[in-house]
């Protein structure tokens, strides 16, 4: 939570500074590319990091096998992004997206190389090291972004903020764990991890569509400025939820996985986490809802006043979203990612359909 608090300060601080140095068009352009990057980035993980964390026991060779699978998927994704960047730019009608996607694709490869190192750190609950690396990487990214924005580089400030963070992640996770992967062998022993990961990947993929279709639809039918107003309103609203749920999720998966043989302690830990979420997020969401115009004006600046309207319209959903993540802890810790996938097959298409129906309004 301390690390998350530091990240919040950096996020709010960088957003407040960059929103005054850059335009809604700059944020919208990078937002268009970010949706595509975030989508394909799911493939590099394939649910294998959580498979590493969830297992009660795991040997070094299986972790090495999963490392090479993650790295191979990341390399394929980076290549596809390079190849498809002209088509993506044509879809949005923005030629600038070609080079933006090229640079962000390098970040995808760097992040993929650090996935299993990060998973080992979470599995061992070395959260002090984890937080130090993530906060430090974010800080370096912010410094790079503000420097470029001050130099008048526009949207490149946001692009290189992401790339700098990815590079620091890759370097620091590798150094901190001190683990070097061996060459892949006996891949058949890794099949249970791949099955777990495949179901989780399927859920994440469908959930991603339902969570990000709004950005694609708004960018395509309304434009970059509209997406800039919407995306920043959404980010501000979800700050209280994400700052509590993100650190809790990291702790709850390895913790609940170790309590599977003790139903009473498992249940007590789960309900305690729900109480914590309610106590920490609902008051903050209520305050943000009441003070939406002031929050947007102070945080983003007067030119972002339209975001306050979107902010208030989205607020009711934020209260429900605060608890959505907790059911995932049950599925992933008990190894029932197959049931998780079946739910997403029903829910995701319905959500996207509603977005298409609503875009006209």
């Amino acid at each position: 939570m301390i690390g998350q608090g530091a990240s919040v300060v950096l996020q709010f601080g960088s957003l407040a500074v960059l929103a005054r140095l850059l335009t809604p068009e700059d944020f919208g352009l990078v937002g268009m590319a970010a949706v595509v990057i975030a989508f394909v980035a799911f493939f590099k993980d394939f649910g294998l990091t959580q498979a590493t964390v969830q297992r009660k026991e795991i040997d070094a060779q299986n972790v090495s096998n999963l490392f090479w699978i993650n790295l191979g998927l990341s390399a394929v994704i980076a290549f596809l992004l390079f190849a498809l960047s002209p088509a993506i730019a044509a879809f949005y009608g923005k030629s600038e997206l070609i080079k933006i996607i090229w640079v962000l694709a390098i970040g995808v490869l760097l992040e993929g190389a650090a996935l299993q190192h990060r998973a080992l750190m979470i599995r061992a609950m070395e959260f002090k090291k984890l937080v130090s690396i993530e906060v430090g990487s974010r800080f370096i990214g912010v410094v790079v972004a503000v420097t470029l924005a001050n130099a008048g580089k526009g949207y490149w400030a946001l692009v290189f903020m992401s790339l700098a963070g990815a590079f620091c992640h890759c370097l620091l996770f590798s150094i901190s764990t001190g683990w070097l992967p061996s060459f892949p062998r006996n891949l058949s022993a890794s099949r249970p991890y791949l099955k777990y990961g495949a179901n989780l990947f399927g859920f994440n993929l469908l959930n991603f569509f339902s969570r990000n279709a709004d950005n694609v639809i708004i960018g395509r039918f309304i434009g970059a400025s509209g997406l800039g107003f919407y995306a920043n309103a959404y980010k501000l609203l979800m700050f209280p939820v994400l700052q509590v749920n993100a650190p809790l999720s990291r702790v709850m998966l390895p913790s609940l996985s170790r309590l599977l043989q003790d139903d009473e302690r498992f249940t007590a830990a789960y309900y305690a986490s729900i109480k914590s979420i309610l106590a920490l997020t609902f008051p903050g969401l209520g305050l943000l809802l009441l003070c939406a115009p002031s929050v947007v004006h102070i945080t983003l600046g007067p030119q972002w006043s339209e975001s306050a309207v979107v902010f208030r319209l989205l607020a009711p959903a934020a209260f429900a979203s605060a608890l959505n993540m907790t059911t995932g802890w049950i599925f992933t810790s008990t190894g029932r990612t197959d049931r998780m996938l079946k739910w997403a097959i029903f829910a995701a298409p319905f959500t996207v359909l509603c977005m298409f129906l609503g875009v006209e309004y």
Side-chain angles (χ1 to χ4, degrees):
M1 291 297 292
I2 292 171
Q4 198 68 22
S7 294
V8 170
V9 172
L10 284 173
Q11 283 178 303
F12 267 110
S14 63
L15 184 60
V17 174
L18 293 172
R20 287 162 172 79
L21 295 173
L22 304 175
T23 66
E25 182 81 9
D26 292 328
F27 280 92
L29 275 171
V30 177
M32 291 173 180
V35 170
V36 178
I37 297 294
F39 165 60
V40 296
F42 273 124
F43 292 85
K44 76 177 187 295
D45 188 324
F46 205 71
L48 299 181
T49 56
Q50 285 177 279
T52 298
V53 175
Q54 189 267 343
R55 289 283 170 160
K56 187 175 182 180
E57 295 179 358
I58 189 170
D59 61 76
Q61 185 56 55
N62 273 321
V63 180
S64 294
N65 290 345
L66 298 182
F67 167 85
W68 290 109
I69 293 171
N70 283 145
L71 186 61
L73 288 171
S74 300
V76 171
I77 290 164
F79 174 78
L80 288 175
L81 285 169
F82 272 95
L84 295 175
S85 57
I88 296 167
F91 172 79
Y92 282 112
K94 297 288 183 181
S95 59
E96 301 96 322
L97 288 174
I98 296 176
K99 291 183 179 179
I100 291 175
I101 290 172
W102 288 356
V103 176
L104 292 177
I106 298 171
V108 170
L109 184 61
L110 292 171
E111 291 282 3
L115 286 173
Q116 286 301 318
H117 294 82
R118 180 175 175 274
L120 289 172
M121 198 172 284
I122 295 174
R123 178 182 175 84
M125 293 191 175
E126 295 178 335
F127 294 115
K128 186 176 180 179
K129 286 184 181 179
L130 184 74
V131 164
S132 299
I133 292 171
E134 294 191 339
V135 173
S137 298
R138 184 182 293 275
F139 177 76
I140 292 171
V142 169
V143 170
V144 169
V146 173
T147 302
L148 291 175
N150 257 324
K153 300 300 182 182
Y155 54 80
W156 287 114
L158 300 173
V159 174
F160 279 95
M161 179 169 67
S162 176
L163 182 62
F167 175 78
C168 291
H169 273 170
C170 182
L171 179 65
L172 296 176
F173 276 126
S174 300
I175 294 172
S176 296
T177 58
W179 173 73
L180 292 174
S182 60
F183 287 106
R185 65 175 185 271
N186 192 21
L187 292 175
S188 60
S190 300
R191 284 178 184 171
Y193 303 94
L194 293 173
K195 183 178 179 181
Y196 176 101
N199 286 323
L200 184 58
F201 165 75
F203 169 82
N204 287 335
L205 183 63
L206 291 170
N207 189 54
F208 174 86
F209 273 116
S210 65
R211 292 280 182 169
N212 291 279
D214 49 355
N215 290 327
V216 176
I217 293 168
I218 291 171
R220 177 65 178 82
F221 292 102
I222 297 177
S225 293
L227 178 58
F229 287 124
Y230 177 88
N232 275 344
Y234 190 91
K235 287 177 185 177
L236 280 176
L237 183 64
M238 293 305 294
F239 260 132
V241 175
L242 295 176
Q243 307 328 309
V244 174
N245 282 6
L248 269 179
S249 293
R250 289 180 177 176
V251 176
M252 294 307 295
L253 177 57
S255 297
L256 292 175
S257 298
R258 306 300 181 271
L259 297 176
L260 287 177
Q261 307 306 317
D262 190 335
D263 288 348
E264 186 174 340
R265 291 181 66 200
F266 185 101
T267 304
Y270 178 66
Y271 282 128
S273 68
I274 290 179
K275 291 177 182 177
S276 298
I277 290 172
L278 290 173
L280 293 170
T281 61
F282 274 39
L285 288 172
L287 182 62
L288 288 176
L289 177 58
L290 288 172
C291 304
S294 299
V295 170
V296 171
H297 182 86
I298 293 169
T299 307
L300 302 178
Q303 72 271 32
W304 293 85
S305 58
E306 289 187 42
S307 289
V309 179
V310 180
F311 189 99
R312 278 186 163 163
L313 289 171
L314 289 173
F319 288 94
S321 296
L323 293 176
N324 282 349
M325 192 177 293
T326 63
T327 53
W329 301 343
I330 304 295
F331 288 121
T332 53
S333 64
T334 58
R336 293 310 307 269
T337 53
D338 55 331
R339 299 185 69 180
M340 200 175 183
L341 174 60
K342 290 174 184 176
W343 165 247
I345 290 172
F346 162 75
F350 177 75
T351 306
V352 175
L353 174 62
C354 291
M355 291 174 182
F356 270 109
L357 294 175
V359 69
E360 183 181 347
Y361 308 101

